[in-house]
Amino acid sequence: TKYYLRHYREDRQYIKSAKVELRGYIDLVNLEAAPASPCLSSTGGGGGEKQSVEERAYLKTEQLQEKISDLQQRILRVETQLDKVKDALDALESFDALKARIVRERYLNGRTWTAIALENHVSYGTCCSLAEAGIQSMARMIFGPEPVVTQLNLINSDKV
């Protein structure tokens, strides 16, 4: 949960960039291949097994379709996870605004514990405890009611 919060803005920007890339691929797929033009040379033809312009375009379109599908899946996966994080933070805000404010300031905005504690009129230790409790609540909202320890084992512990 902490990992997703710390990288929320970067991941949202990735989604925007990936959607631009996706539109570019879709535009390329929608372009039609130019038909082969007859050669007006007086010499004979090549006689080799060459792909026509249309065949090359068809193969290129297939490759682009595969890229489009992969990119759409990645976008959906990241966007879904980010939506869960946002929804969990909004839900936390609705029933414990102080925890949500502390979590937002620390993990989204990167502020120090001391600054957050002073701004919210709580001690440093209380600030840390409230943030941890808020993170635990959000983890349950995002990943479900299973024990968080089990969930953390599925993710690289350096990123949590």
Side-chain angles (χ1 to χ4, degrees), residues 7-154:
H7 297 284
Y8 184 84
R9 288 190 174 101
E10 292 94 345
D11 292 347
R12 278 286 175 207
Q13 184 56 47
Y14 166 75
I15 294 293
K16 288 179 185 177
S17 298
K19 285 182 177 180
V20 169
E21 183 180 358
L22 182 63
R23 281 193 300 273
Y25 289 152
I26 291 170
D27 289 344
L28 284 174
V29 166
N30 292 333
L31 292 176
E32 291 185 26
S37 58
C39 180
L40 300 176
S41 172
S42 60
T43 59
E49 296 229 1
K50 293 185 179 180
Q51 290 180 330
S52 70
V53 173
E54 291 85 359
E55 290 170 325
R56 283 192 302 260
Y58 178 77
L59 292 174
K60 183 75 171 174
T61 299
E62 281 186 343
Q63 292 171 343
L64 286 172
Q65 290 289 5
E66 190 175 318
K67 282 184 179 181
I68 287 169
S69 177
D70 290 345
L71 192 54
Q72 285 173 328
Q73 289 174 10
R74 274 190 287 158
I75 289 170
L76 182 62
R77 187 174 55 250
V78 174
E79 208 166 32
T80 299
Q81 192 62 41
L82 292 178
D83 288 346
K84 286 181 179 181
V85 170
K86 183 184 181 311
D87 291 347
L89 190 55
D90 290 346
L92 183 63
E93 178 85 39
S94 73
F95 65 81
D96 197 328
L98 180 58
K99 284 180 187 173
R101 189 168 46 250
I102 291 170
V103 167
R104 181 177 284 113
E105 289 300 315
R106 177 64 180 175
Y107 298 105
L108 285 179
N109 299 332
R111 297 194 54 213
T112 65
W113 290 118
T114 305
I116 298 167
L118 287 171
E119 186 176 283
N120 289 288
H121 310 290
V122 296
S123 71
Y124 181 94
T126 300
C127 186
C128 294
S129 297
L130 288 171
E132 197 56 40
I135 291 292
Q136 293 297 321
S137 292
M138 287 182 65
R140 185 176 173 92
M141 289 181 240
I142 294 168
F143 299 109
E146 293 82 28
V148 174
V149 176
T150 304
Q151 296 160 6
L152 295 179
N153 290 334
L154 300 175

